[in-house]
DNA sequence: TTGTAGGCGTTATCAG
DNA sequence: CTGATAACGCCTACAA
């Protein structure tokens, strides 16, 4: 491994001069600087990150924690994060699993964005307490070193429920996410509230877990109980797609017999026929905003919690009731 | 940040004693060691990764480079990598984009697995030349510091082509991947060879790029040219699904009028009706093997290039011709 | 058994 | 303008 020491030797100067030259410090002559830079390039010198991190106490790397790597859904969110971070001179790395939690306390990364409900809030709080900067997207966590960037789940759920009610439906299934999910809880709570405002609406809850499989299971239950047209609010699109496919295979007519609305507006929703109604928000913006908040936290700029707004996307999957 | 120095002060011993104790070196008394460990725990000391990396010249982190983060398809591959690496005491981080290329030369990671054809082979070769250990999954690259773990694309493509020919089809479209893709080239080449062995088969090539959208475009072309039943070999499932959906929407009967076979056996293929025929291989194993090869390279164990074998999965999407 | 000291590569302070 | 020198936190001969 070639270090500034090697360059110094070759250039016949001291290591500090090399360091200055490499860092563009105007203290050194144009001439010496040019010579040093040339030698550095010739030896293709690359600074050692560990040494730099040790000295500067910052690695310029941000980690994002995901529950798993299957993230079809997270692609855009991550893209949004990366763009902002790179622009600010930071690298983004994606981590998953508790094994990687060490990266933060060991100071391998300067901060983290959390989108992984299997990462315990207590552990996060401890990290925050130790001075680590965090942005959480999937829970509430109040600490000066933690910022929250949440979806406006409540507004979204209310929009969805009001939409189907407005369309004339009076029997409504709600397929939930997993127990631990913050998003699911929020959406469910708001959905219930919206339903309660319409006392003539009958409502049935089905427990799901945000996977396509759980949507399929829900479909089976719904088909078994089927007597008259009903509406189904799946708390995410993944489940809505599973539900949708299963019902279509069983020759149910979506948008006539069974009306479906999802949440997230994942890419797949566009391909269903009729189109799946859903709740949309900018995933890219979600990631971008999370990154910006984290950078601010790291720079010591005061920040407020942020919110990503959502809109309703109508679709043929919800017809007139 | 709390360091061994702080612990030493509190324990009234020297920093080396602390270091020994923490590393379980039998040089220090059980007693002193216990006392030091207790203090360390109380202060919840965590070793600084930068310092350790600087000293040990190894970060115990492996990076995997992906073209983008959308990787619905890569989930299992990454999972396979992570399991092996964690077992060996390494962390896995996922990177994307040229900005992150620096992690390797700066020695922030001990090695890399590459599944990103936008990462130039020349650059990889330079890195290998500098002594960095690499495993490539998406290209051929011969260098002592580089190992290859490839899918058996040729066998897979041959299997696919032979399958449709055996089913009696004599007109065959092949929808390719993007120009730069190693997998696409390999599959196409083997497909052509298999076709040439059957001179009565008519064959048309359609250029795609491995995305669902290009599958949709291919579908449009095929529909326009449609006169009699034809078979289509999509060089990956993603495109096959796009093709499939588009054809179904246009009321074509899959497995009767148009016969489709894909490659990869992604999860979605199970959900199509009829099931999409495809080429399967263990994605988890691919990742696991890549990791093992990398670890061996790092440890200086000699390695041969490896290959992941594939099998044919029959499906109703290819009917009798 | 424990302590002293040097070094990993970089940056930054302070003399010269 | 340039160079010695210390420091970041950790590890490890070697000395005591």
């Amino acid at each position: 491994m070639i270090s500034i020491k090697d360059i110094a030797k070759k250039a016949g100067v001291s290591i500090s001069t090399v360091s200055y030259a490499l860092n563009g410090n105007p203290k050194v002559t144009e001439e010496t600087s040019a010579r040093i830079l040339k030698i550095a390039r010739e030896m293709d010198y690359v600074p050692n990150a560990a040494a730099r991190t040790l000295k500067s106490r910052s690695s310029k790397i941000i980690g994002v924690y995901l529950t798993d790597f299957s993230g079809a859904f997270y692609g855009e969110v991550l893209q949004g994060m990366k763009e902002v971070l790179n622009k600010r001179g930071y690298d983004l790395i994606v981590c998953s699993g508790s094994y990687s939690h060490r990266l933060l306390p060991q100071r391998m990364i300067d901060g983290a964005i959390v989108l992984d409900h299997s990462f315990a809030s207590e552990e996060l709080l401890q990290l925050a307490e130790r001075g680590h900067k965090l942005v959480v997207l999937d829970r509430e966590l109040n600490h000066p070193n933690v910022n929250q960037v949440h979806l406006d789940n409540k507004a979204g759920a209310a929009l969805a429920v009001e939409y189907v009610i407005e369309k004339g439906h009076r029997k409504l299934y709600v397929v939930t996410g997993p127990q631990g999910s913050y998003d699911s809880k929020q959406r469910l709570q708001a959905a219930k509230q919206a339903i309660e405002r319409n006392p003539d609406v009958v409502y049935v809850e089905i427990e799901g877990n945000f996977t396509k499989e759980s949507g399929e299971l829900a479909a089976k239950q719904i088909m078994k109980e089927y007597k008259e047209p009903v509406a189904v609010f799946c708390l995410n699109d993944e489940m809505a797609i599973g539900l949708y496919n299963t019902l279509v295979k069983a020759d149910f007519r979506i948008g006539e017999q069974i009306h479906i609305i999802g949440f997230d507006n994942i890419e797949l929703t566009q391909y269903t026929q009729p189109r799946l109604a859903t709740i949309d928000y900018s995933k890219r913006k979600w990631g971008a905003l999370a990154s910006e908040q984290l950078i601010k936290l790291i720079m010591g700029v005061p920040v407020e919690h942020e919110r990503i707004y959502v809109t309703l996307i109508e679709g043929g999957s919800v017809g007139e009731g």
Side-chain angles (χ1 to χ4, degrees), chain A:
Chain A
M1 144 136 250
I2 123 116
S3 78
I4 53 170
K5 206 185 277 181
D6 303 304
I7 300 177
K9 204 178 294 172
K10 194 145 188 174
V13 297
S14 79
I15 58 162
S16 31
T17 306
V18 175
S19 178
Y20 287 136
L22 291 172
N23 293 314
N25 189 315
K27 286 171 154 185
V28 335
T29 335
E30 283 270 334
E31 195 185 357
T32 350
S33 181
R35 194 162 50 87
I36 290 171
L37 290 176
K38 179 151 167 284
I39 292 175
R41 221 172 307 116
E42 280 167 11
M43 304 180 83
D44 50 36
Y45 164 79
V46 178
N48 180 301
R52 190 173 264 183
T53 300
L54 180 59
K55 182 69 189 171
S56 70
R57 307 167 143 279
S58 148
S59 65
K60 297 301 234 172
I61 299 177
I62 298 298
V64 54
Y65 287 93
L66 300 183
T67 307
D68 57 52
F69 288 128
S70 69
F73 159 73
Y74 296 120
E76 275 189 74
V77 180
L78 298 175
Q79 194 58 33
M81 292 179 189
K82 180 160 80 82
E83 282 165 11
V84 168
L85 291 174
N86 288 356
K87 210 171 289 171
R88 308 284 191 139
Y90 283 82
D91 250 311
L92 177 70
I93 65 175
V94 181
C95 312
S96 177
S98 58
Y99 199 87
S100 296
H101 291 187
R102 70 169 177 103
L103 298 178
L104 207 45
Q106 295 188 350
R107 307 195 98 87
M108 184 100 284
I109 57 183
D110 291 350
I113 299 174
V114 179
L115 193 44
D116 171 13
H117 62 265
S118 74
F119 202 140
S121 288
E122 279 180 32
E123 195 181 346
L124 291 173
L125 224 38
Q126 281 176 19
L127 290 166
E129 198 56 41
R130 292 175 64 101
H132 299 288
K133 311 298 187 184
L134 306 171
V135 170
V136 294
L137 308 188
D138 64 346
R139 73 193 74 203
E140 280 176 35
L141 203 59
N142 286 297
H143 188 284
N145 286 333
V146 182
N147 188 258
Q148 301 172 188
V149 180
H150 288 162
L151 290 180
D152 197 349
N153 285 309
K154 296 202 170 178
L159 276 174
V161 169
E162 281 157 14
Y163 176 59
V164 298
I165 289 178
E166 202 170 283
K167 284 285 194 177
H169 304 292
R170 289 297 172 266
K171 171 153 187 192
L172 179 58
Y173 285 94
V174 176
V175 187
T176 72
Q179 299 272 355
S181 160
Y182 174 74
D183 286 331
S184 175
K185 270 184 236 162
Q186 294 259 303
R187 290 171 195 179
L188 181 60
Q189 191 189 330
K192 276 183 186 166
Q193 280 173 9
I195 292 165
E196 278 161 14
R197 287 196 288 272
N198 298 68
D200 56 331
V201 172
V202 181
Y203 136 87
V204 180
E205 197 175 314
I206 298 180
E207 190 177 324
N209 64 4
F210 278 170
T211 66
K212 205 177 290 170
E213 288 71 35
S214 70
E216 292 164 4
L217 286 177
K220 288 189 182 132
Q221 173 177 344
I222 291 168
M223 289 191 291
K224 207 159 60 183
E225 298 172 4
Y226 186 81
K227 293 205 195 77
E228 49 182 1
V230 292
V232 186
F233 176 23
C234 290
L235 296 189
N236 83 348
D237 281 349
E238 193 86 14
M239 296 192 298
I241 295 285
L243 186 100
Y244 194 107
N245 288 341
T246 306
L247 292 173
V248 166
K249 275 188 202 167
D251 286 327
F252 274 87
R253 293 190 305 281
I254 308 299
E256 290 181 38
Q257 297 172 295
I258 299 198
H259 305 266
I260 311 179
I261 184 165
F263 201 118
D264 283 343
N265 193 27
I266 64 175
E267 208 193 339
L268 258 176
T269 62
Q270 306 166 32
Y271 298 106
T272 60
Q273 197 70 285
R275 195 208 193 288
L276 183 68
T278 189
I279 300 298
D280 182 45
Y281 51 87
S282 169
K283 291 157 199 68
R284 186 181 230 89
K285 191 169 162 193
W286 196 17
L289 191 51
S291 297
E292 283 179 0
Q293 296 295 95
L294 184 54
I295 301 280
K296 283 186 192 158
L297 266 180
I298 290 171
M299 302 201 312
V301 178
V303 284
E304 296 286 316
H305 293 332
E306 286 282 355
R307 189 177 291 256
I308 298 292
Y309 294 100
V310 304
T311 57
L312 170 72
I313 298 213
E314 306 193 12
S317 68
V318 177
E320 305 291 336

